[in-house]
Amino acid sequence: MNILVLGATSAIAEEFIKINSTPGNNFTLISRDEERLGIIVNDIKARGASVEESLILELNAPENVVRFFEKNKIVQQDKVLLAAGSLLEQGKVENNTDYLIEQFNINSLSQITFINELCNRALISKNGVLSCITSVAGDRGRKSNYLYGSAKKSKSIFLEGLAHRFANKGITVIDIRPGFVDTPMTTHFKKGLLWSSPSVVAKIIDKSMRKKKSKVVYAPTFWYLIMLVIRNIPRFLMHRLNF
Amino acid sequence: MLISGWGNYPKIDANIFKVATTADLKSKIVKNRSFITYGMGRSYGDCALSENIVDLSRLNKIKNFDENTGELEVYAGVSIEEILEFVIPKGWFIPVTPGTKYVSVAGAISNDVHGKNHHKHGCFSNYVDSFELILPDNSVNTCSRDKNTELFQAVCGGVGLIGVIITARLKLIPIKSSYIDTVEIKCRTLEETVSTLKSYKDSTYSVAWLDCLSKNKLGRGVVYIGEHSKGMGLETSSKHKVSVPQAFPSFLLNYYTTRLFNGMLYNKSKRKKTIGKEMYDSFFYPLDNLKSWNNMYGAAGFLQYQFVIPYSAGLEGLRTILEFVARSKRGSFLSVLKILGGSNKNLLSFPIEGFTLAMDFKLEKGVKELLTQLDKMVLGFGGRLYLAKDARMEAEVFKASYPNWKEFVRIRKELGADIKFNSIQSKRLGI
C-alpha cells in the first residue's frame, strides 16, 4: 500500500508512520527537516516497510507546493495524511501582517493547495483515503488563538466540500480534530487531564482511516462533547469569558 | 515546568528542551550553559534533574537491525518496551533488563542498569558494543571497549555527566519463546531466603521479595527463579494498564496496610515450591501493569533506597539493616533482594559482588534521618548506594564508597563536561 505523509516529522505523524511500518507498505514522506526525515526513514526500513521517497518542502508559501508537484513525480497513493502545522503566537499576529500571512500559509493555504494538486493530478487511488489534521480550535473563534483557529477552520470547510465532491466516488475524506496533544509544539503548556499523547491520537487516525468513512473525527472523542458546549455558549456570555 | 524523577521527589521548576536530531542537540549544547539529559523519567531521584533539561524521548527510533546476528542499532531515546515489541516477534530479547521496561537505552547505559541475571550476565553495558557520544566541544565520538575506552568506561554508569549519547549498538540474545519458566519458593526465614537465592546461582534469573515488616518472621520471602522457555510462541504483551491517579489518598499506604499486603503476598501460594510459566512482562515488569504506581505514595513522593553490601558483610549485615528498618516501623511496601555478581571496569557502575536490597520509603518526617543512619551501616559493611535511586546521599558517603570518583572528575574536567553537564545530584555529590 502506498502511504503519503505531509509533515512526516510531526509527533502525531511519526506515531502514525510507526503503526503502519509493516512489510508491504511503501511511504512517501514530506517534511522540512532533512535530518529528522533520515532518522524516520531508517526506522521504517528497520521495521520492514519501504520508502518510495523522502522529500523536502517548506509550506510558508503556496507557490512552493505548486513547484513541488511540477518537480517531483509522486506515485498514486492509497492513504494520505496531512499532519503539518505550526502553533503560532496570536499576540505576534496583531501587529505583524507578514507573520500572519506566513502562518496562514503554513497552516492552511499551502495544505489546501497540496490537497488540490493531489486531486487534480489523480494521485489518490480510486478507493483511497485522505485525512487531514485540523483542530478543535477551529470550532469557535477565541481571542487567544483565532488566526490558528481560522486557518484550521478553513481546512475543515475545504475537506467538507471535498468529501461532498467525492461522495459515492470511492475516495474517503476525513477531518481529524485533535484536542490538546502533548507534542514538541506544546512543550511549554502545563499538562492536565484533557491532554492526550501523540500515540493515542495516531491510533485514532489509523483506525478511522481503516474504516474508510468520510467524517469529522474528534480525537479523542470526548472533545466532541466539549466543543459542542463551547460552540453553543451564547455570544454575550462568551464575551465575558477569558479563555 | 515542574518536573521530578520517578520518586516524585524532588520536584523542580526546569526549562525543558525536546530534541529530535543531532543538529538540534548540538545547538542546545552551544546555547545552554549547563544542562542534564532526561529520558523516560524512571530514575527515582535527581540524577536526571537540573535547571535546564534536554529531553531525549523523541529520539525513539530504530536505526538498523540485523535479524540474523541480533545486532541492533538504536537512537538514545528508544525504550526497552519499544525494543521488545520490535524484536520479540523476530526471536530476540534484550540480554539485561531492569525492573521496568519504560527506560530509555541512553538511561540504561548512563545508569549501567542491572537485572535479575546480574550474577550471570553482568550489567547492561556488557551488551553495548558501542555508542556515539557528543562531547561538550560538539564532536561526535564512537566509544567501545576498544575505541575511546576511557570514555566508554566513564559514560557507562556516568549518569549523563560526560557527554550525550546519541545512538547505541546493542547485542541481543536469541529466544524461542516470550514465556519464562518460573519456580517460586517460599522461604520462612532470612537465612532460608538467602541460601535459596545462592543455591540457584546457576539459574539465569533470580530475585527475592522480602517481608521487611513481619515482626517474628523478619526476612521471610519468596524467591523467584526464571529461565527463557523453549516453547509457546513469540507474542508481545499488550495488557490493558490500570493507572494510579495523581490524587491517590496516600494515607491508605501505611504500616498496617503494608503489613497486610506483605502477608497476602507471602501466603498467596500454599505450597513451598510452585512451578509455572509466565509471560515475559509479568515476570520482569510486574509493576509496569500498574501505571504511575509512584503516585501511591502521595504528593510528597517517596525515596527508594537501594544498597549493595559485599558477601563478606554476609547475612549478618543484611539482618542488622533489616532489623533496624523494622524497628522504625517505616517498612517498605515492596522490598527486593538480589545477588550481584562481580563489578566491572566502569568508573561509577553500582554493582559489586554481594547482596543488594531495594526498599521504598514514603517521604515523611524522620525518613531522611533514618536513611542517614542506614548510610552509616552500609558504609560500615563496605557497601554503596545506587545513583539511579538516590535523591539525598551526602557527598562524603558517595566519595567513600565509589573509589573511582576522582578519576571520573578528572575526565569531566578535561572535557569541560564539569561545566556543560550538571544535575542536582552531581552538584550535591561534588562531582
Side-chain angles (χ1 to χ4, degrees):
Chain A
M1 190 176 294
N2 287 331
I3 304 175
L4 180 144
V5 183
L6 175 70
T9 54
S10 85
I12 297 173
E14 285 187 14
E15 290 295 331
F16 173 83
I17 292 168
K18 192 188 276 182
I19 299 171
N20 286 287
S21 291
T22 46
N25 284 340
N26 180 31
F27 285 93
T28 300
L29 305 178
I30 307 163
S31 160
R32 61 173 175 174
D33 186 343
E34 196 169 359
E35 191 194 341
R36 184 71 184 170
L37 263 183
I39 293 175
I40 298 168
V41 167
N42 281 337
D43 191 76
I44 291 173
K45 289 181 179 166
R47 289 172 193 276
S50 60
V51 176
E52 178 75 28
E53 260 186 302
S54 63
L55 303 161
I56 307 298
L57 173 61
E58 284 278 356
L59 292 177
N60 54 353
E63 303 86 77
N64 295 350
V65 177
V66 179
R67 248 176 283 133
F68 174 86
F69 277 94
E70 283 164 1
K71 204 173 100 192
N72 297 294
K73 199 168 161 17
I74 306 290
V75 295
Q76 201 179 50
Q77 302 294 326
D78 302 298
K79 284 184 181 178
V80 176
L81 172 66
L82 276 76
S86 88
L87 190 65
L88 55 95
E89 288 172 53
Q90 182 63 38
K92 219 168 144 185
V93 169
E94 279 149 29
N95 48 25
N96 187 341
T97 309
D98 288 343
Y99 180 72
L100 178 143
I101 293 170
E102 182 195 72
Q103 290 300 319
F104 199 85
N105 282 342
I106 294 172
N107 284 303
S108 179
L109 191 54
S110 294
Q111 296 190 38
I112 289 176
T113 310
F114 191 92
I115 299 173
N116 202 46
E117 288 285 337
L118 280 179
C119 296
N120 293 349
R121 291 165 186 264
L123 292 177
I124 303 174
S125 71
K126 237 184 198 170
N127 295 307
V129 185
L130 173 107
S131 71
C132 178
I133 298 180
T134 65
S135 171
V136 295
D139 277 21
R140 180 130 201 200
R142 292 186 295 122
K143 63 181 173 190
S144 56
N145 69 347
Y146 59 91
L147 181 69
Y148 184 75
S150 56
K152 296 291 187 177
K153 184 68 178 181
S154 64
K155 274 202 298 185
S156 284
I157 297 289
F158 187 85
L159 293 167
E160 195 176 17
L162 199 68
H164 193 192
R165 170 178 157 194
F166 287 132
N168 308 318
K169 292 204 175 87
I171 292 178
T172 307
V173 180
I174 302 169
D175 174 353
I176 309 280
R177 294 188 195 167
F180 300 145
V181 189
D182 187 2
T183 66
M185 212 158 91
T186 57
T187 305
H188 56 288
F189 283 74
K190 197 169 179 271
K191 312 292 187 300
L193 265 183
L194 295 176
W195 288 76
S196 311
S197 71
S199 75
V200 166
V201 175
K203 276 179 199 145
I204 296 170
I205 295 173
D206 186 59
K207 210 170 138 191
S208 66
M209 285 176 82
R210 283 173 203 277
K211 279 190 186 155
K212 288 195 176 178
K213 200 170 163 202
S214 290
K215 63 193 277 199
V216 175
V217 176
Y218 285 86
T221 323
F222 64 76
W223 280 99
Y224 172 76
L225 292 172
I226 295 176
M227 296 323 292
L228 184 70
V229 173
I230 291 179
R231 273 198 311 272
N232 287 294
I233 297 174
R235 202 170 271 233
F236 76 90
L237 194 61
M238 187 75 185
H239 289 178
R240 290 180 188 191
L241 296 173
N242 207 9
F243 72 99
Chain B
M1 213 174 104
L2 270 189
I3 189 165
S4 62
W6 189 243
N8 284 332
Y9 172 85
K11 283 190 188 72
I12 60 153
D13 197 8
N15 306 311
I16 301 168
F17 309 99
K18 283 195 183 187
V19 294
T21 58
T22 314
D24 248 6
L25 181 62
K26 286 182 171 174
S27 79
K28 295 294 179 293
I29 290 182
V30 173
K31 277 183 203 148
N32 282 289
R33 214 177 69 81
S34 165
F35 66 86
I36 195 74
T37 44
Y38 186 95
M40 307 282 287
R42 287 292 173 134
S43 292
Y44 285 71
D46 52 5
C47 69
L49 299 181
S50 158
E51 199 182 312
N52 296 313
I53 288 175
V54 170
D55 180 338
L56 300 180
S57 59
R58 276 206 84 198
L59 289 171
N60 58 345
K61 297 283 182 280
I62 295 164
K63 201 166 174 191
N64 197 16
F65 181 56
D66 187 333
E67 261 185 68
N68 301 313
T69 61
E71 276 167 39
L72 174 71
E73 190 174 6
V74 292
Y75 282 89
V78 148
S79 70
I80 288 189
E81 180 197 30
E82 284 178 278
I83 291 179
L84 290 178
E85 276 175 11
F86 173 61
V87 301
I88 285 177
K90 299 173 169 43
W92 296 92
F93 201 76
I94 197 117
V96 169
T97 171
T100 170
K101 58 186 170 185
Y102 303 120
V103 295
S104 68
V105 163
I109 296 173
S110 302
N111 291 289
D112 205 8
V113 298
H114 57 270
K116 297 174 171 61
N117 55 348
H118 186 270
H119 58 289
K120 288 213 52 150
H121 296 134
C123 288
F124 192 82
S125 59
N126 264 9
Y127 296 87
V128 177
D129 276 346
S130 65
F131 50 77
E132 281 186 309
L133 185 76
I134 302 192
L135 291 173
D137 64 1
N138 256 339
S139 62
V140 181
N141 302 267
T142 305
C143 309
S144 68
R145 274 170 209 82
D146 312 316
K147 203 177 164 192
N148 292 320
T149 315
E150 188 182 77
L151 277 178
F152 185 86
Q153 290 171 355
V155 169
C156 295
V159 272
L161 297 172
I162 301 289
V164 181
I165 298 167
I166 189 96
T167 63
R169 298 172 74 97
L170 312 175
K171 188 110 183 79
L172 304 184
I173 50 163
I175 49 165
K176 292 208 164 56
S177 160
S178 51
Y179 284 80
I180 304 290
D181 291 329
T182 60
V183 184
E184 277 180 41
I185 304 131
K186 274 172 79 160
C187 304
R188 277 167 303 180
T189 61
L190 185 62
E191 287 85 354
E192 207 183 318
T193 310
V194 168
S195 67
T196 309
L197 266 180
K198 277 183 171 170
S199 70
Y200 279 94
K201 68 178 187 322
D202 291 329
S203 301
T204 309
Y205 301 108
S206 67
V207 66
W209 156 81
L210 279 191
D211 185 347
C212 290
L213 289 169
S214 171
K215 270 185 202 142
N216 311 319
K217 302 158 199 148
L218 188 70
R220 70 173 178 176
V222 182
V223 172
Y224 301 89
I225 306 294
E227 293 290 345
H228 286 285
S229 188
K230 298 268 184 307
M232 284 185 75
L234 292 162
E235 301 123 40
T236 53
S237 165
S238 57
K239 252 192 214 161
H240 192 71
K241 295 176 195 83
V242 184
S243 199
V244 179
Q246 232 168 15
F248 184 84
S250 64
F251 64 85
L252 289 176
L253 202 69
N254 55 40
Y255 175 66
Y256 301 98
T257 53
T258 308
R259 265 191 75 168
L260 189 71
F261 169 81
N262 277 260
M264 276 163 58
L265 202 62
Y266 183 76
N267 291 313
K268 202 176 97 186
S269 172
K270 290 267 176 296
R271 273 175 300 185
K272 168 89 186 144
K273 188 171 172 181
T274 315
I275 292 173
K277 220 182 235 313
E278 273 181 64
M279 197 52 173
Y280 70 94
D281 65 329
S282 65
F283 180 76
F284 290 110
Y285 318 115
L287 281 174
D288 281 352
N289 287 324
L290 195 61
K291 219 173 145 189
S292 46
W293 61 265
N294 54 340
N295 287 338
M296 280 200 309
Y297 290 92
F302 70 105
L303 294 167
Q304 185 166 88
Y305 192 80
Q306 182 171 357
F307 66 84
V308 57
I309 53 172
Y311 279 139
S312 56
L315 196 57
E316 282 322 301
L318 270 182
R319 190 196 310 281
T320 312
I321 292 173
L322 282 176
E323 278 173 357
F324 187 76
V325 173
R327 272 202 304 276
S328 77
K329 292 204 171 183
R330 292 184 193 281
S332 156
F333 183 59
L334 205 65
S335 309
V336 176
L337 178 71
K338 273 185 291 213
I339 281 181
L340 295 181
S343 51
N344 58 24
K345 289 181 179 160
N346 304 331
L347 297 180
L348 298 187
S349 191
F350 165 69
I352 53 173
E353 194 170 31
F355 302 110
T356 178
L357 183 67
M359 298 179 279
D360 294 344
F361 296 92
K362 187 168 159 180
L363 207 96
E364 49 195 7
K365 226 176 140 195
V367 162
K368 285 190 183 161
E369 290 74 9
L370 171 81
L371 297 185
T372 309
Q373 297 279 320
L374 286 184
D375 289 351
K376 286 182 193 148
M377 298 166 105
V378 170
L379 271 189
F381 291 127
R384 54 164 69 152
L385 305 184
Y386 193 5
L387 295 182
K389 312 285 177 88
D390 168 56
R392 45 150 294 279
M393 182 181 6
E394 281 166 21
E396 299 76 61
V397 177
F398 168 75
K399 288 175 177 170
S401 53
Y402 282 85
N404 294 324
W405 72 271
K406 280 186 184 155
E407 175 70 357
F408 187 78
V409 169
R410 178 190 65 78
I411 296 173
R412 251 165 81 69
K413 285 209 168 117
E414 251 176 52
L415 299 168
D418 58 330
I419 296 164
K420 210 37 107 179
F421 309 120
N422 283 292
S423 61
I424 302 181
Q425 184 182 56
S426 74
K427 286 183 183 158
R428 178 164 43 78
L429 299 181
I431 46 175

